[in-house]
Amino acid sequence: MAKREEYEAKTESFLMPLMKENDFELVDVEYVKEAGNWYLRAYIDKKGGITVDDCEIISRKLGDWLDEKDFIADSYILEVSSPGLGRPLKKDKDFDRSIGEDVDIKLYKPLNKQKDFTGTLISYDRDTVTIAQEDGTELTLNRPEIALIRLAFDF
């Protein structure tokens, strides 16, 4: 297991009981390097939406635990937040909840000279994601070729 995966897994295992206790959902944990800084991010949600106070409660408990356990060697920034409107779909539970919803998909490499697709999520499995496009045609994409899939939102 890579260092990044180990940090994410340990953090997730600490957070799961807190999520249950507060009736929150742990959407994702990520340990990433951006612009020269490491970030440990926890994305949380709940019915009706997460508040700043909810994030603060989890952030304080998580921060105290991380200080006590001190298993991350690098200097990092801790962030606890909502997954936002354009929430990424990463886990099966995210896909299950989003069947019938509109999604935006970005591919690593173009397919027929196109990297961005929008449609209604029809189905998924371990290897593929299928959407119904606006013109009614179905498009099945290979999951390893998908850079990002998230809920679409209109303004």
Side-chain angles (χ1 to χ4, degrees):
M1 182 183 294
K3 173 177 73 168
R4 180 184 61 78
E5 292 166 334
E6 177 189 338
Y7 296 165
E8 291 171 353
K10 282 184 177 181
T11 302
E12 189 169 321
S13 67
F14 170 76
L15 286 171
M16 289 313 290
L18 279 179
M19 296 297 104
K20 193 169 269 187
E21 177 184 313
N22 289 283
D23 202 23
F24 295 166
E25 174 194 356
L26 181 61
V27 175
D28 197 19
V29 173
E30 65 180 7
Y31 185 70
V32 294
K33 191 168 195 174
E34 294 176 359
N37 292 314
W38 283 100
Y39 291 85
L40 178 62
R41 293 189 179 114
Y43 297 98
I44 62 175
D45 207 356
K46 71 176 182 186
K47 274 195 185 334
I50 210 79
T51 67
V52 172
D53 290 340
D54 297 331
C55 291
E56 182 181 359
I57 289 166
I58 300 304
S59 181
R60 285 181 191 272
K61 290 180 180 180
L62 178 57
D64 290 347
W65 178 78
L66 288 164
D67 289 345
E68 177 187 321
K69 298 300 179 188
D70 197 27
F71 60 88
I72 300 176
D74 308 306
S75 177
Y76 63 92
I77 298 165
L78 175 62
E79 294 180 353
V80 176
S81 68
S82 159
L85 289 175
R87 127 188 235 160
L89 308 183
K90 293 188 175 188
K91 300 177 181 174
D92 285 349
K93 66 179 181 172
D94 301 327
F95 284 92
D96 288 339
R97 177 182 37 244
S98 302
I99 296 288
E101 299 286 334
D102 289 341
V103 294
D104 292 327
I105 299 175
K106 228 180 228 329
L107 301 179
Y108 288 110
K109 296 179 185 171
L111 173 67
N112 300 324
K113 298 182 182 178
Q114 187 176 344
K115 286 176 84 172
D116 297 320
F117 297 89
T118 299
T120 303
L121 181 62
I122 296 174
S123 65
Y124 74 95
D125 59 32
R126 200 176 64 136
D127 303 312
T128 63
V129 170
T130 303
I131 60 171
Q133 296 180 319
E134 199 171 279
D135 64 4
T137 60
E138 287 188 10
L139 175 65
T140 299
L141 301 165
N142 294 319
R143 280 180 81 166
E145 296 170 3
I146 297 173
L148 175 68
I149 180 169
R150 66 178 176 197
L151 291 177
F153 52 94
D154 294 322
F155 288 103

